[in-house]
Coordinates of all heavy atoms in Angstrom, one line a residue:
R1 N -28.4 91.9 -42.8 CA -27.4 91.5 -42.0 C -26.3 92.5 -41.9 O -25.8 92.9 -42.9 CB -26.8 90.1 -42.4 CG -27.7 88.9 -42.2 CD -28.0 88.6 -40.7 NE -28.8 87.5 -40.5 CZ -30.1 87.6 -40.3 NH1 -30.7 88.7 -40.2 NH2 -30.9 86.5 -40.1
H2 N -26.0 93.0 -40.6 CA -25.0 94.1 -40.5 C -24.5 94.0 -39.0 O -25.1 93.8 -38.2 CB -25.8 95.4 -40.7 CG -25.0 96.6 -40.4 ND1 -25.0 97.2 -39.1 CD2 -24.2 97.3 -41.1 CE1 -24.2 98.2 -39.2 NE2 -23.7 98.3 -40.3
I3 N -23.1 94.3 -38.9 CA -22.5 94.5 -37.7 C -21.5 95.7 -37.8 O -21.0 96.0 -38.9 CB -21.7 93.3 -37.2 CG1 -20.5 92.9 -38.1 CG2 -22.6 92.0 -37.1 CD1 -19.6 91.9 -37.6
T4 N -21.2 96.3 -36.7 CA -20.2 97.4 -36.5 C -19.3 97.0 -35.5 O -19.7 96.8 -34.4 CB -20.8 98.7 -36.4 OG1 -21.8 98.9 -37.5 CG2 -19.9 99.8 -36.5
E5 N -18.0 97.0 -35.7 CA -17.0 96.6 -34.8 C -15.9 97.7 -34.9 O -15.5 98.3 -35.9 CB -16.4 95.4 -35.0 CG -17.3 94.2 -34.8 CD -17.7 93.9 -33.4 OE1 -16.8 94.3 -32.5 OE2 -18.7 93.2 -33.1
T6 N -15.3 98.1 -33.8 CA -14.1 98.8 -33.8 C -12.9 98.0 -33.3 O -12.9 97.4 -32.3 CB -14.2 100.0 -32.7 OG1 -15.3 100.9 -33.1 CG2 -12.9 101.0 -32.8
V7 N -11.9 97.8 -34.2 CA -10.8 96.9 -33.9 C -9.4 97.5 -34.1 O -9.3 98.7 -34.8 CB -10.9 95.7 -34.9 CG1 -12.2 94.9 -34.7 CG2 -10.8 96.1 -36.4
D8 N -8.4 96.9 -33.6 CA -7.0 97.4 -33.8 C -6.7 97.2 -35.2 O -6.9 96.2 -35.8 CB -6.1 96.8 -32.8 CG -6.5 97.1 -31.3 OD1 -7.0 98.2 -31.1 OD2 -6.1 96.3 -30.4
G9 N -5.9 98.2 -35.7 CA -5.3 98.0 -37.0 C -5.7 99.1 -38.0 O -6.7 99.8 -37.8
A10 N -4.9 99.3 -39.0 CA -5.1 100.4 -40.0 C -6.0 99.8 -41.1 O -6.1 98.5 -41.3 CB -3.8 100.8 -40.7
P11 N -6.9 100.6 -41.7 CA -7.8 100.1 -42.7 C -7.2 99.3 -43.8 O -7.6 98.2 -44.2 CB -8.4 101.4 -43.4 CG -8.3 102.4 -42.2 CD -7.1 102.1 -41.4
A12 N -6.0 99.8 -44.3 CA -5.3 99.0 -45.4 C -4.8 97.6 -45.0 O -5.0 96.6 -45.7 CB -4.1 99.8 -46.0
E13 N -4.4 97.6 -43.7 CA -3.9 96.3 -43.2 C -5.2 95.4 -43.0 O -5.0 94.2 -43.4 CB -3.2 96.5 -41.8 CG -2.9 95.2 -41.1 CD -2.5 95.5 -39.7 OE1 -2.1 96.7 -39.3 OE2 -2.5 94.6 -38.8
L14 N -6.2 95.9 -42.5 CA -7.4 95.0 -42.3 C -8.1 94.6 -43.6 O -8.6 93.5 -43.8 CB -8.4 95.9 -41.5 CG -8.1 96.0 -40.0 CD1 -9.1 97.0 -39.3 CD2 -7.9 94.7 -39.3
A15 N -8.0 95.5 -44.7 CA -8.5 95.2 -45.9 C -7.7 94.0 -46.5 O -8.4 93.1 -47.2 CB -8.4 96.3 -46.9
E16 N -6.5 94.0 -46.4 CA -5.6 92.8 -46.9 C -6.1 91.4 -46.1 O -6.1 90.4 -46.8 CB -4.2 93.1 -46.7 CG -3.7 94.2 -47.6 CD -2.1 94.4 -47.4 OE1 -1.5 93.6 -46.7 OE2 -1.6 95.3 -48.1
R17 N -6.3 91.6 -44.9 CA -6.7 90.5 -44.0 C -8.0 89.9 -44.5 O -8.3 88.7 -44.7 CB -6.7 90.8 -42.5 CG -6.9 89.7 -41.6 CD -7.0 90.1 -40.3 NE -5.7 90.8 -39.8 CZ -5.6 91.5 -38.7 NH1 -6.6 91.6 -37.9 NH2 -4.4 92.0 -38.5
V18 N -8.9 90.9 -44.7 CA -10.3 90.5 -45.0 C -10.4 89.7 -46.4 O -10.9 88.8 -46.8 CB -11.3 91.7 -45.0 CG1 -12.5 91.3 -45.7 CG2 -11.5 92.1 -43.6
T19 N -9.5 90.4 -47.3 CA -9.5 89.9 -48.8 C -8.8 88.5 -48.7 O -9.4 87.6 -49.5 CB -8.6 90.8 -49.7 OG1 -9.2 92.2 -49.6 CG2 -8.5 90.3 -51.1
A20 N -7.9 88.3 -47.9 CA -7.3 86.9 -47.7 C -8.3 85.9 -47.2 O -8.2 84.7 -47.6 CB -6.0 87.0 -47.1
N21 N -9.1 86.4 -46.3 CA -10.1 85.5 -45.7 C -11.3 85.2 -46.6 O -12.0 84.2 -46.4 CB -10.6 86.0 -44.5 CG -9.5 86.0 -43.3 OD1 -8.6 85.2 -43.3 ND2 -9.7 86.9 -42.3
L22 N -11.4 85.9 -47.7 CA -12.6 85.8 -48.7 C -12.1 84.9 -49.8 O -12.4 85.1 -51.0 CB -13.1 87.1 -49.1 CG -13.9 87.9 -48.2 CD1 -14.2 89.2 -48.7 CD2 -15.2 87.1 -47.8
R23 N -11.5 83.8 -49.5 CA -10.9 82.9 -50.6 C -12.2 82.2 -51.3 O -13.2 81.7 -50.5 CB -10.0 81.9 -50.0 CG -8.7 82.3 -49.5 CD -7.8 81.3 -49.2 NE -8.4 80.5 -48.0 CZ -8.2 80.7 -46.7 NH1 -7.5 81.8 -46.3 NH2 -8.6 80.0 -45.7
G24 N -12.2 82.1 -52.5 CA -13.4 81.6 -53.4 C -14.4 82.6 -53.6 O -15.4 82.2 -54.3
W25 N -14.3 83.8 -53.2 CA -15.2 84.9 -53.6 C -14.6 85.8 -54.7 O -13.4 86.0 -54.6 CB -15.5 85.7 -52.3 CG -16.4 85.0 -51.3 CD1 -15.9 83.9 -50.5 CD2 -17.6 85.3 -50.8 NE1 -16.9 83.6 -49.6 CE2 -18.0 84.4 -49.8 CE3 -18.5 86.3 -51.2 CZ2 -19.2 84.5 -49.1 CZ3 -19.7 86.4 -50.5 CH2 -20.1 85.4 -49.6
R26 N -15.4 86.3 -55.5 CA -14.9 87.3 -56.4 C -15.0 88.7 -55.6 O -16.0 89.0 -55.0 CB -15.9 87.5 -57.6 CG -15.8 86.3 -58.5 CD -16.7 86.4 -59.8 NE -16.2 87.6 -60.6 CZ -16.9 88.6 -60.9 NH1 -18.2 88.7 -60.4 NH2 -16.5 89.4 -61.8
R27 N -13.9 89.3 -55.5 CA -13.8 90.4 -54.6 C -12.9 91.6 -55.2 O -12.0 91.3 -56.1 CB -13.1 90.0 -53.3 CG -11.7 89.3 -53.4 CD -11.4 88.4 -52.2 NE -10.0 87.9 -52.3 CZ -9.7 86.8 -53.1 NH1 -10.7 86.1 -53.5 NH2 -8.5 86.3 -53.1

């Protein structure tokens, strides 16, 4: 399973957002 997207935002900002959305996961 794989997707590639180009989105607005800096990598660090998006990493924080992704980490917050992975609640309940070891990350």
Side-chain angles (χ1 to χ4, degrees):
R1 289 288 181 265
H2 171 266
I3 67 168
T4 302
E5 296 281 339
T6 302
V7 298
D8 294 335
E13 174 191 346
L14 292 173
E16 291 182 6
R17 185 182 303 169
V18 167
T19 302
N21 290 337
L22 286 170
R23 294 187 297 273
W25 291 64
R26 293 182 65 240
R27 55 199 185 275

